Amino acid sequence: MKRKTFGPVTSQQVAQIAGVSQSAVSRTFTPGASISPATREKVLKAARELGYRPNAIARSLNTARSRIVGVVMSYFDNQFYPQVLEALAQKLDELNYHLLLFVGDRDGNVDRIFDQIMQYRVDGIVLASVSLSVELSEECVAAGIPVVLFNRSEENATASSVNTDNEAAARNIAEFLLAGQHQRFAYVAGLADSSANLARQKGFITALQSHGVKDIRVVQGDYDAQKTAQAAGELFSSPQPPDAIFAANDHMALMIMDIARYEFGLRIPEDLSVIGYDDTGPSGWPSYALTSASQPVEAMVSATIGLLMKQIESENIEPEQVVVPGVLVVRHSARRPQFGVIEKDGLCLFQPQEVE
């Protein structure tokens, strides 16, 4: 029968009921600690009787580890980031760490909530869809708190980062569209100061220019549905509308497809090819079937947590930049070229090395 207690149950009370030392109680609830099966069972039985739960906050004061990772994220209307958040939570849970979510500003700057993050004694920080100023990045290093940028990078590289090769993927998209005999190109950009957006824009435009394409329209979508709709309307209302559009992410690409179909009566891909970036869930829906450069969430999250744990355990914050390979997944939103498209693992992919 469960014993009646008043106030929080302590580890000392559990130890008395179990007939063991207080340190044995502590080891029972510490992952990886050495404890015999018999002693562990006695402690767990006493804990169940008393309704005992270990105090994570008190433990963090003793160990100087909170086992909490702060994750800063925004743009939840973009399906890529909810997928990333779920994968981060699952991976951290496997390691007996806990995720504490902070929602960043839409402008992508995390400085405003930095003090809030530091108040929670986090062991590490993952910044997804947001960036950190050089000053605060250096402050994290000084405090011994590793920071990993997810799908972002810094010019000075004071923090670790995990990305796909945005520039190379965008060049691949340009090659795909050129191989499909498109003539008029447009790029719908994300936020102007987003490192991922800048790399994608550079790769796309550079590749097209290397093939002699001079007229490449660039309009701002800012990763925002309403701004993207306005930008698409401007493109389709122009005297020479594009016949190929690359959007900086899938969220914008799907909006562009809806505007093209339902407001301008364009056929996809007969009149217009649209390509996105991320390869999120809705991209594979039959109603969109969006051709998109993949960002493999599981691989990127594994690399992120691997970097974070290595730096937490070693207490050596040496920035590392990890690039995870991705592929161009070919579906039906873009006109297919006559060469370069292969089938692999149930997907149609584009291999640029076959483009002449």
Side-chain angles (χ1 to χ4, degrees), residues 292-315:
S292 179
S294 72
Q295 296 220 85
V297 170
E298 293 297 329
M300 293 177 73
V301 165
S302 292
T304 299
I305 300 303
L307 277 176
L308 206 60
M309 292 301 115
K310 182 171 72 172
Q311 294 179 358
I312 290 172
E313 296 300 328
S314 68
E315 298 182 352

Side-chain angles (χ1 to χ4, degrees), residues 93-132:
D93 184 63
E94 291 172 5
L95 299 172
N96 197 38
Y97 272 78
H98 307 285
L99 182 152
L100 185 60
L101 176 65
F102 298 86
V103 179
D105 293 338
R106 294 288 295 188
D107 63 6
N109 193 300
V110 75
D111 291 17
R112 178 186 62 82
I113 58 175
F114 180 77
D115 287 340
Q116 297 176 34
I117 301 170
M118 300 300 281
Q119 288 173 16
Y120 284 89
R121 300 171 58 92
V122 297
D123 291 344
I125 299 173
V126 176
L127 302 181
S129 75
V130 294
S131 57
L132 194 65

Side-chain angles (χ1 to χ4, degrees), residues 9 14 30 53 56 66 126 187 192 199 210 234 246 284 292 312 320 337 340 356:
V9 179
V14 175
T30 300
R53 296 289 186 277
S66 65
V126 176
Y187 176 71
S210 70
E234 292 174 11
F246 169 34
S292 179
I312 290 172
E320 295 184 44
E356 297 178 352

Side-chain angles (χ1 to χ4, degrees), residues 226-272:
Q226 184 174 354
K227 289 182 180 179
T228 300
Q230 293 172 350
E234 292 174 11
L235 288 173
F236 301 140
S237 299
S238 63
Q240 290 291 318
D243 64 354
I245 295 178
F246 169 34
N249 68 11
D250 286 357
H251 181 57
M252 294 193 297
L254 299 179
M255 174 59 72
I256 291 165
M257 291 179 70
D258 284 344
I259 297 297
R261 286 168 169 166
Y262 303 121
E263 293 191 18
F264 289 86
L266 298 175
R267 298 169 302 160
I268 297 174
E270 293 85 356
D271 302 322
L272 172 70

Side-chain angles (χ1 to χ4, degrees), residues 22-188:
Q22 193 170 352
S23 65
V25 176
S26 177
R27 292 197 304 276
T28 297
F29 290 99
T30 300
S34 176
I35 187 81
S36 72
T39 301
R40 174 183 168 80
E41 182 54 37
K42 286 195 292 184
V43 171
L44 292 177
K45 183 175 183 294
R48 286 192 295 268
E49 288 181 5
L50 295 173
Y52 171 76
R53 296 289 186 277
N55 189 325
I57 296 175
R59 182 185 298 168
S60 72
L61 296 175
N62 293 329
T63 63
R65 291 275 179 85
S66 65
R67 302 195 74 83
I68 294 174
V69 170
V71 174
V72 188
M73 191 175 286
S74 59
Y75 304 116
F76 289 100
D77 45 356
N78 178 1
Q79 288 298 306
F80 178 65
Y81 288 110
Q83 290 178 16
V84 170
L85 182 62
E86 181 179 0
L88 283 169
Q90 290 175 345
K91 191 69 174 177
L92 287 169
D93 184 63
E94 291 172 5
L95 299 172
N96 197 38
Y97 272 78
H98 307 285
L99 182 152
L100 185 60
L101 176 65
F102 298 86
V103 179
D105 293 338
R106 294 288 295 188
D107 63 6
N109 193 300
V110 75
D111 291 17
R112 178 186 62 82
I113 58 175
F114 180 77
D115 287 340
Q116 297 176 34
I117 301 170
M118 300 300 281
Q119 288 173 16
Y120 284 89
R121 300 171 58 92
V122 297
D123 291 344
I125 299 173
V126 176
L127 302 181
S129 75
V130 294
S131 57
L132 194 65
S133 68
V134 174
E135 294 77 14
L136 292 183
S137 182
E138 292 174 347
E139 188 173 334
C140 286
V141 173
I145 300 175
V147 176
V148 178
L149 301 178
F150 185 97
N151 198 33
R152 286 288 189 277
S153 58
E154 299 174 322
E155 287 187 11
N156 59 354
T158 56
S160 297
S161 66
V162 174
N163 290 278
T164 48
D165 193 335
N166 291 288
E167 191 170 335
R171 289 197 301 268
N172 193 20
I173 288 169
E175 297 287 355
F176 175 86
L177 292 171
L178 287 164
Q181 305 300 311
H182 294 83
Q183 302 296 320
R184 301 179 304 280
F185 303 88
Y187 176 71
V188 180

